[in-house]
Amino acid sequence: MENSIQEKTVTAITSDALLEDWQGHRRLTRRVIEAFPEKDLFEFSIGGMRPFSELAMEMIMMAGPGIEGVATKKWKQFGEGTEISKPKTREEILKLWDEATEKIDKLWPTIPAGRFQEVEAAFGQYENPIYATILYFIDNEIHHRGQGYVYLRALGIEPPYFWER
Amino acid sequence: MENSIQEKTVTAITSDALLEDWQGHRRLTRRVIEAFPEKDLFEFSIGGMRPFSELAMEMIMMAGPGIEGVATKKWKQFGEGTEISKPKTREEILKLWDEATEKIDKLWPTIPAGRFQEVEAAFGQYENPIYATILYFIDNEIHHRGQGYVYLRALGIEPPYFWER
């Protein structure tokens, strides 16, 4: 076993581990949302980029409807239905954040075995295996959260530790 | 099958898929290194953060010695042996980058089946399952690369598309 050559189907990451990884990142991002002064959350930006509130809303629009598509195969278009509810306070964003967290925890165990390897157009548009779609949700969050770290540093605020989940 | 409850050991991500994800991210990061004007790569920063050359070197010190530890169980201390070779040009960084890329491709197939779930102190210090250690390498790269995107935007330079790997 120790020296066996890997087979193509060797498991690197289980379903449980992927969920924990995602929710760990989401807990950290929640603390980054909280670290911004409320005004800066909605207004501060660098180089013409979006303020962190908009980056956080992108994450929410990906995570909530995303886990629904993953679990049920029913995809909305990206951003569908969210135009009318643009949050104006941190509390509203955190409420939407927590709703997505609960939805992920609730729907994850209903994902059928084998589903992760199915190829399907996420949001009717992005054709990838489901595991890659989920990785994309996570990666996109890490990417934009990293940008939020620069905003915080530029504001003179120490961000939460990256490795604390 | 369709409606079966997941078992704890359901595979979300295979070894092959994790390698491809990592190398895809590394291809993108390489393009980000190339996108910086050479002077700014070594000097530009925001909010007292490190310039992107130093962030890239952190990624290299994690990836190269990291894959060695993952594949061979022999861990150096983080950063060990790199103090003497601090690159001063983009070309030197890209050369180290490409050496790490080759090392990952070469060593990955030698990782024993089952190794991903073993708990071990990465760099003799960070106790985690091996899959989580690899995810940390990738996540740390995405995190710092996202910061590089802000540097590029602040410099008026359009970064490569995040979704192109």
Side-chain angles (χ1 to χ4, degrees):
Chain A
M1 190 67 171
E2 191 66 9
N3 294 306
S4 68
I5 301 296
Q6 281 178 42
E7 305 201 8
K8 293 247 174 238
T9 52
V10 160
T11 301
I13 302 175
T14 64
S15 168
D16 277 15
L18 185 58
L19 171 62
E20 176 51 28
D21 182 64
W22 191 8
Q23 293 287 33
H25 278 297
R26 299 188 77 260
R27 286 191 289 271
L28 174 57
T29 305
R30 193 184 194 284
R31 292 200 295 278
V32 172
I33 296 170
E34 290 178 307
F36 275 87
E38 187 152 14
K39 187 177 186 327
D40 294 317
L41 181 62
F42 288 91
E43 294 178 12
F44 185 80
S45 90
I46 291 175
M49 297 176 71
R50 290 169 286 173
F52 197 67
S53 56
E54 291 188 30
L55 301 178
M57 280 307 297
E58 181 182 290
M59 298 171 198
I60 288 169
M61 294 189 303
M62 223 175 253
I67 188 63
E68 276 191 31
V70 163
T72 67
K73 304 191 178 185
K74 296 191 184 85
W75 292 96
K76 295 176 184 167
Q77 282 203 298
F78 184 70
E80 191 183 331
T82 53
E83 307 82 352
I84 45 170
S85 60
K86 199 173 174 183
K88 287 177 186 62
T89 67
R90 191 213 326 269
E91 279 316 303
E92 289 175 76
I93 293 178
L94 290 175
K95 185 165 174 286
L96 294 169
W97 192 270
D98 293 341
E99 286 170 6
T101 302
E102 279 176 41
K103 189 181 283 186
I104 292 167
D105 278 338
K106 190 178 151 203
L107 291 181
W108 192 273
T110 72
I111 301 173
R115 172 74 172 143
F116 292 101
Q117 310 307 321
E118 290 177 10
V119 175
E120 190 172 276
F123 296 105
Q125 196 174 352
Y126 309 101
E127 182 108 347
N128 279 303
I130 290 294
Y131 77 81
T133 291
I134 297 167
L135 279 180
Y136 191 88
F137 298 163
I138 300 171
D139 295 349
N140 187 67
E141 176 171 336
I142 300 169
H143 174 69
H144 285 316
R145 186 183 59 211
Q147 299 174 339
Y149 273 57
V150 185
Y151 290 6
L152 287 173
R153 288 282 181 197
L155 289 163
I157 296 165
E158 175 132 24
Y161 293 125
F162 174 68
W163 55 86
E164 277 188 10
R165 307 288 158 79
Chain B
M1 189 69 170
E2 190 66 9
N3 295 308
S4 68
I5 300 297
Q6 281 179 44
E7 307 202 7
K8 291 244 173 243
T9 53
V10 160
T11 301
I13 302 175
T14 65
S15 168
D16 278 15
L18 185 58
L19 171 61
E20 176 50 30
D21 182 64
W22 192 8
Q23 292 288 33
H25 277 297
R26 299 188 76 261
R27 286 190 290 272
L28 174 58
T29 306
R30 194 184 194 284
R31 293 201 294 278
V32 173
I33 297 170
E34 291 179 305
F36 274 87
E38 188 152 14
K39 186 177 185 329
D40 294 317
L41 181 62
F42 288 89
E43 294 178 11
F44 185 80
S45 91
I46 292 174
M49 298 177 69
R50 290 170 287 173
F52 197 67
S53 57
E54 290 186 31
L55 301 178
M57 280 307 298
E58 181 182 292
M59 299 171 198
I60 289 169
M61 293 190 304
M62 224 174 251
I67 188 63
E68 276 191 33
V70 163
T72 68
K73 303 190 177 187
K74 296 190 184 83
W75 292 96
K76 296 175 185 166
Q77 283 204 298
F78 185 69
E80 190 183 332
T82 54
E83 306 82 352
I84 46 170
S85 62
K86 199 173 176 184
K88 289 178 185 60
T89 66
R90 190 212 328 267
E91 280 316 302
E92 288 174 77
I93 292 178
L94 291 175
K95 185 165 174 287
L96 293 169
W97 192 269
D98 294 340
E99 286 169 6
T101 302
E102 279 176 40
K103 189 181 283 185
I104 292 166
D105 278 337
K106 190 179 150 201
L107 290 181
W108 192 273
T110 72
I111 301 172
R115 173 74 172 140
F116 293 100
Q117 311 308 322
E118 290 177 10
V119 174
E120 190 172 275
F123 296 106
Q125 196 174 353
Y126 309 101
E127 182 108 347
N128 279 304
I130 290 293
Y131 78 81
T133 292
I134 297 168
L135 279 181
Y136 190 88
F137 297 163
I138 300 172
D139 295 349
N140 187 67
E141 176 171 335
I142 300 169
H143 174 70
H144 286 316
R145 188 182 58 211
Q147 299 173 338
Y149 273 58
V150 185
Y151 290 7
L152 287 173
R153 288 281 182 197
L155 289 163
I157 296 165
E158 175 132 25
Y161 293 125
F162 175 67
W163 55 87
E164 276 189 11
R165 307 287 159 82

